């Protein structure tokens, strides 16, 4: 098997490293100090502009929209770098939403959004967590035809919780279920009639939004009704979240290794103690498993290659490893750092908060294992 990335994919990762090298992971107040209030009122607009200037907001877009025409693997390489520095931008949600509009949206919607999104002038996000964060997002909102609209518009009702960057985005992609049991995607302008946002706060200290829809009108051109559009968007969002978890985990293990190499007990660095070395080795194994399952899922999404299971099987395996792995990584890091790891003047506690957010976003490994079991039952191997 060849795991070598293409020159274009490597160039995207290198560009991301150059832009993100200036980011301080603890550049905003600690969520431990803000006491339930957001750590900031906006995304990192300076970083957002630099990402746009480096053409990293248009990776997945075609040349006609000013993009590079790259794939999910390239995006995950960039997100891995963003996870290492806790970049406070909706890079994943924006890129995935733009890819969904490009793949399945109508020509009017593509013309209205994509070029501006690629330049960072328009910010996109996705409501992907449903009513509670545990149920299917498309079941939290109902979509029905607007009988008063001769052009075939839609009306949306329901609630989506924990929408990332909801107060900063210009447009939100909202999955919904129709009366004939189909999943559709609605593109809603922030603040439009029939919508309301209530603030929520993540474990990271970032502001989220609870989106309430009460007969929100959506023009026909702003609805994405293609079969499988939401499934494809959800798979890309999930795989991108696994990439963020991988980058975060790699940085945490680097921090832990550096600390254990200089922290001495009984006249020796604690890294030389067998108990410490074994724990670090276990977390290294977690990282390698997170990495290989991530690239398998991203490659299936990018290539469309057939497999023994549908692509959702590979995504489920990546979720299992990312959800469990990122939790184990930060727990071991906190343990080996001792009290120093909880110091709000040291960035490890912030990585722990972001890891918890990613773990909650991915959901419990047991649920993914059950889904994987159902897939194996439906598609017996051999």
């Amino acid at each position: 098997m060849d795991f070598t990335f293409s020159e274009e994919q490597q160039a995207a990762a290198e560009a991301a490293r150059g832009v993100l090298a200036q980011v301080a992971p603890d550049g905003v107040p600690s969520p431990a100090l803000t006491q339930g209030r957001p750590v900031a009122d906006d995304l990192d607009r300076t970083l957002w502009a630099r990402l746009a200037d480096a053409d990293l907001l248009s990776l997945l877009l075609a040349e006609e929209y000013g993009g590079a025409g790259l794939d999910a693997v390239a995006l995950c390489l960039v997100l891995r770098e963003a996870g290492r520095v806790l970049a406070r931008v909706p890079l994943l949600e924006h890129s995935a939403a733009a890819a969904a509009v490009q793949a399945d949206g109508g020509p009017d919607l593509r013309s209205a959004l994509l070029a501006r999104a690629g330049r960072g002038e328009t910010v996109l996000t996705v409501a992907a967590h449903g009513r509670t964060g545990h149920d299917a997002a498309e079941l939290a909102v109902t979509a029905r035809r607007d009988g008063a609209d001769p052009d075939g518009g839609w009306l949306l009702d329901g609630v989506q919780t924990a929408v990332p960057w909801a107060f900063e985005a210009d447009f939100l992609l909202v999955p919904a279920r129709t009366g004939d049991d189909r999943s559709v995607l609605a593109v809603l302008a922030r603040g439009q009639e029939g919508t309301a946002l209530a603030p929520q706060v993540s474990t990271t200290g970032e502001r989220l939004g609870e989106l309430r829809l009460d007969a929100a009108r959506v023009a026909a051109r702003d609805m994405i009704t293609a079969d499988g559009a939401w499934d494809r968007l959800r798979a890309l969002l999930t795989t991108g979240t696994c990439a963020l978890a991988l980058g975060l985990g790699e940085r945490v293990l680097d921090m832990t290794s550096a600390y254990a190499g200089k922290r001495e007990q009984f006249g020796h660095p604690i890294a030389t103690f067998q108990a410490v070395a074994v724990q670090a080795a276990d977390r290294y194994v977690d990282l390698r498993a997170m990495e290989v399952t991530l690239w398998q899922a991203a490659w299936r999404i990018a290539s469309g290659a057939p497999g023994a299971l549908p692509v959702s099987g590979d995504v489920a395996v990546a979720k299992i490893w990312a959800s469990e792995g990122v939790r184990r990584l930060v727990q071991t890091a906190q343990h080996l750092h001792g009290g120093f790891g909880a110091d709000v003047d040291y960035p490890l506690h912030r990585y722990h908060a972001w890891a918890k957010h990613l773990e909650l976003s991915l959901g419990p490994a047991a649920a993914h294992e059950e889904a994987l079991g159902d897939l194996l039952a439906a598609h017996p191997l051999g």
Side-chain angles (χ1 to χ4, degrees):
M1 299 179 69
D2 185 2
F3 289 97
T4 305
F5 298 112
S6 70
E7 290 184 5
E8 293 83 2
Q9 292 165 347
Q10 294 181 63
E14 184 177 347
R17 280 192 292 272
V19 172
L20 295 166
Q22 306 172 52
V23 176
D26 52 354
V28 293
S30 167
L33 301 177
T34 53
Q35 299 180 346
R37 293 178 289 104
V39 295
D41 294 328
D42 199 1
L43 57 87
D44 187 340
R45 295 285 177 178
T46 301
L47 175 58
W48 189 251
R50 291 204 300 262
L51 290 168
D53 290 342
D55 297 325
L56 292 172
L57 301 182
S58 58
L59 281 178
L60 303 186
L61 298 182
E63 290 185 12
E64 64 182 292
Y65 303 115
L70 296 181
D71 57 17
V73 175
L75 176 62
C76 286
L77 282 166
V78 172
L79 290 169
R80 180 188 195 176
E81 299 302 324
R84 291 180 66 89
V85 299
L86 310 183
R88 299 184 52 260
V89 289
L91 179 59
L92 167 58
E93 297 82 5
H94 180 87
S95 300
V101 171
Q102 176 176 254
D104 296 305
D108 291 342
L109 184 60
R110 295 198 300 267
S111 297
L113 288 185
L114 293 184
R116 290 179 57 83
R119 295 192 296 268
E121 298 167 2
T122 295
V123 180
L124 309 177
T125 192
V126 184
H129 298 299
R131 181 181 292 271
T132 66
H134 299 288
D135 53 348
E138 69 275 17
L139 301 181
V141 175
T142 59
R144 66 186 191 278
R145 290 288 188 176
D146 183 357
D149 185 354
D151 295 323
W154 296 74
L155 293 173
L156 269 61
D157 296 277
V159 178
Q160 294 278 358
T161 194
V163 181
W165 310 106
F167 288 89
E168 293 77 27
D170 300 294
F171 293 93
L172 298 85
L173 267 67
V174 181
R177 193 69 118 190
T178 65
D180 55 356
D181 206 31
R182 292 186 303 116
S183 295
V184 295
L185 287 166
V187 180
L188 297 170
R190 175 171 50 85
Q192 78 173 59
E193 185 178 357
T195 70
L197 279 175
Q200 299 173 312
V201 180
S202 166
T203 61
T204 64
E206 298 295 341
R207 182 171 55 174
L208 307 175
E210 180 188 71
L211 174 66
R212 291 189 172 272
L213 305 170
D214 183 9
R217 284 186 167 83
V218 184
R221 77 162 198 170
D222 295 330
M223 291 293 290
I224 299 175
T225 59
D227 289 341
W230 166 235
D231 292 334
R232 288 186 287 274
L233 173 55
R234 178 170 51 194
L236 183 55
L237 283 169
T238 302
T239 305
T241 304
C242 294
L244 291 170
L246 175 63
L248 183 153
E250 288 175 330
R251 177 59 184 142
V252 164
L253 190 59
D254 288 346
M255 292 168 64
T256 305
S257 298
Y259 178 79
K262 64 184 181 183
R263 174 74 167 91
E264 291 191 359
Q265 286 185 355
F266 311 112
H268 299 279
I270 62 172
T272 62
F273 299 163
Q274 186 179 34
V276 172
V278 167
Q279 291 183 70
D282 285 343
R283 300 296 78 80
Y284 178 81
V285 171
D286 278 334
L287 279 176
R288 299 289 71 81
M290 291 167 65
E291 184 176 19
V292 71
T293 54
L294 163 66
W295 299 131
Q296 171 69 11
W299 173 75
R300 286 289 305 277
I301 291 171
S303 67
L309 293 176
V311 66
S312 57
D314 294 287
V315 173
V317 173
K319 285 199 290 186
I320 291 167
W321 277 103
S323 178
E324 291 284 286
V326 75
R327 175 179 54 80
R328 289 193 291 256
L329 278 155
V330 293
Q331 285 179 344
T332 297
Q334 289 281 14
H335 174 63
L336 296 182
H337 275 82
F340 192 55
D343 189 339
V344 295
D345 293 325
Y346 184 69
L348 181 60
H349 78 286
R350 186 178 294 282
Y351 280 89
H352 200 152
W354 278 66
K356 179 54 67 174
H357 174 74
L358 293 175
E359 180 190 354
L360 293 172
S361 297
L362 289 166
H368 311 322
E369 290 164 354
E370 182 177 351
L372 185 60
D374 291 342
L375 283 172
L376 288 167
H379 302 83
L381 304 181

